[in-house]
Amino acid sequence: MSSTGQPGTRAVRIGSLIVGEGPAVVFAGRPSPAPQADGRVDAPPDGCRVSLARLRPEDRHDAVAAARAVWDGPLLVEPGSADDLPAVAAHADGVIVSAGDAGDAGDAGDKALVRTAARLGLPLVVRRGPASVDEWLAAAAACLDAGAAGVVLCEDGVRAADGHLSVDLGLARAARERGGHPVLVSPGDDAGLAAAVVAAGADGLWLDEDAPAGHAEAAREAVVVVGALVREERPAGIPAARGAIDRADAALAVILERRAALAGVVQRLKPVGGFAGRDLERERRIVAAMARRAPRLGEARLAPIMKAVIESGLHLAEEARSASGENGREHSPEDRPAGTAGAQALAGGRQDHD
Ligand SMILES: C=C(O[C@@H]1C=C(C(=O)O)C=C[C@H]1O)C(=O)O
């Protein structure tokens, strides 16, 4: 955000959410306050999304109103026809349209729908479908010409006859670069692609409306951890800077947990493990290597940090060893470096919550 608190040119506001700068975002499907089978309620996504085309026309207004009744956060709605626009205007924070409808190839009715939607004073999210990058960007330009309050592109991929969804991250990246608009990617219901989406430079993703419970939360974890590593953030105030620090710390926690597990493996394999087998020359080389990637901190500041990190790992290994008897090889919890949600997110794995 700029120093005035307004989003920059790439960023688009959807309700209370800024898309395009700051953290990457996750839109889930229809909002649902329902707890899961184990009584757990998922952490809320950043936004929700309702598509009306697959509902009967007479049910659509109520569907949008029902979504708004249970969800006061950012809400995107995809109208099925111009008749749905009053409900969209009353409740939505953004309108989803198709590049094929907005661009030159759209038929008169579809183009009229997009033009009317653009005049609602809301941002438009333009799905690519089978359009080329040129057609996609031309559709985005047409939406802005028609009065849209900002445009977000969404790479929603192409579904083959066998049901397989092909999402083109390279194309999404090229369109973001060329068009200057934020880009979302829709990886179907596969939260395991969330890390790749953010690593490719997209500003967020949306999941299928029927994605299983827990997938939005898993996608969010991946987006936070990977986003902390790859997204440039220029926070303008203390709350934004603290938010960015929280995301960096989330990634740090995942790495620290993983590192402790790996150091524990070495303790069990070395002839003399734990504090008794400490290797200070190896520790010095670790700090020197890290200083090349963290030159502002440098060796002098990294050394005490890594001393604390290494000693925590040694304490953990010694505790695990005494808890599991003589050799410490059985039942060691640190044998499972991929056991946390964050680590699974980094690995692009799915979260199963059933
Ligand atoms: C892991 C080892 O044991 C100790 C812990 C280290 C670490 O956490 O990186 C490094 C050196 C040793 O003091 C090792 O020898 O590599």
Side-chain angles (χ1 to χ4, degrees):
M1 280 221 262
S2 71
S3 54
T4 59
Q6 294 302 312
T9 47
R10 181 186 292 279
V12 171
R13 183 183 287 280
I14 297 178
S16 56
L17 194 64
I18 303 291
V19 181
E21 58 182 33
V25 300
V26 175
F27 280 87
R30 217 179 285 210
S32 152
Q36 296 188 36
D38 60 3
R40 211 172 58 88
V41 178
D42 281 346
D46 299 302
C48 287
R49 181 174 65 89
V50 176
S51 183
L52 298 178
R54 60 189 192 171
L55 302 179
R56 293 187 311 175
E58 60 271 32
D59 295 335
R60 292 177 185 169
H61 185 283
D62 288 352
V64 180
R68 180 45 90 205
V70 296
W71 172 252
D72 60 7
L75 181 65
L76 294 174
V77 178
E78 181 164 28
S81 78
D83 293 342
D84 302 334
L85 291 179
V88 172
H91 298 295
D93 299 305
V95 195
I96 302 170
V97 299
S98 294
D101 293 344
D104 289 343
D107 72 30
D110 293 334
K111 283 171 93 162
L113 167 66
V114 174
R115 271 201 309 275
T116 314
R119 286 198 293 268
L120 295 179
L122 296 171
L124 297 195
V125 179
V126 183
R127 310 171 75 123
R128 180 176 74 88
S132 67
V133 174
D134 285 342
E135 291 164 341
W136 199 12
L137 294 179
C143 291
L144 287 175
D145 282 351
V151 159
V152 175
L153 301 175
C154 181
E155 162 57 357
D156 56 346
V158 179
R159 207 171 276 284
D162 65 2
H164 185 82
L165 181 69
S166 291
V167 177
D168 193 328
L169 295 182
L171 192 143
R173 188 177 171 81
R176 185 179 189 276
E177 202 54 39
R178 275 182 50 192
H181 309 292
V183 176
L184 301 176
V185 172
S186 163
D189 65 2
D190 190 354
L193 286 174
V197 165
V198 176
D203 299 291
L205 65 141
W206 80 33
L207 291 171
D208 273 0
E209 288 191 57
D210 43 15
H215 279 225
E217 198 168 356
R220 210 146 179 265
E221 181 68 9
V223 162
V224 166
V225 171
V226 176
L229 297 175
V230 301
R231 279 183 82 76
E232 286 273 324
E233 295 211 33
R234 292 185 195 82
I238 290 176
R242 285 187 172 166
I245 288 173
D246 290 347
R247 290 185 286 281
D249 286 345
L252 202 50
V254 171
I255 294 295
L256 286 173
E257 182 84 350
R258 178 168 289 202
R259 188 189 195 289
L262 295 169
V265 172
V266 178
Q267 303 323 315
R268 293 194 300 283
L269 295 177
K270 283 205 306 199
V272 180
F275 281 90
R278 202 150 175 191
D279 180 344
L280 296 178
E281 176 51 26
R282 161 76 178 149
E283 293 182 23
R284 197 199 56 72
R285 284 198 313 269
I286 287 172
V287 169
M290 290 180 75
R292 288 196 285 278
R293 292 198 169 85
R296 261 186 295 182
L297 285 171
E299 286 189 42
R301 292 182 187 85
L302 284 168
I305 296 173
M306 291 314 295
K307 181 170 182 286
V309 167
I310 289 169
E311 289 179 356
S312 296
L314 292 172
H315 281 301
L316 183 65
E318 293 203 340
E319 277 166 36
R321 184 184 168 92
S322 43
S324 64
E326 256 311 279
N327 63 17
R329 278 166 205 249
E330 295 122 37
H331 317 303
S332 298
E334 77 272 24
D335 270 344
R336 287 175 239 114
T340 63
Q344 289 189 17
L346 268 184
R350 280 172 187 249
Q351 296 279 293
D352 289 323
H353 291 279
D354 41 351

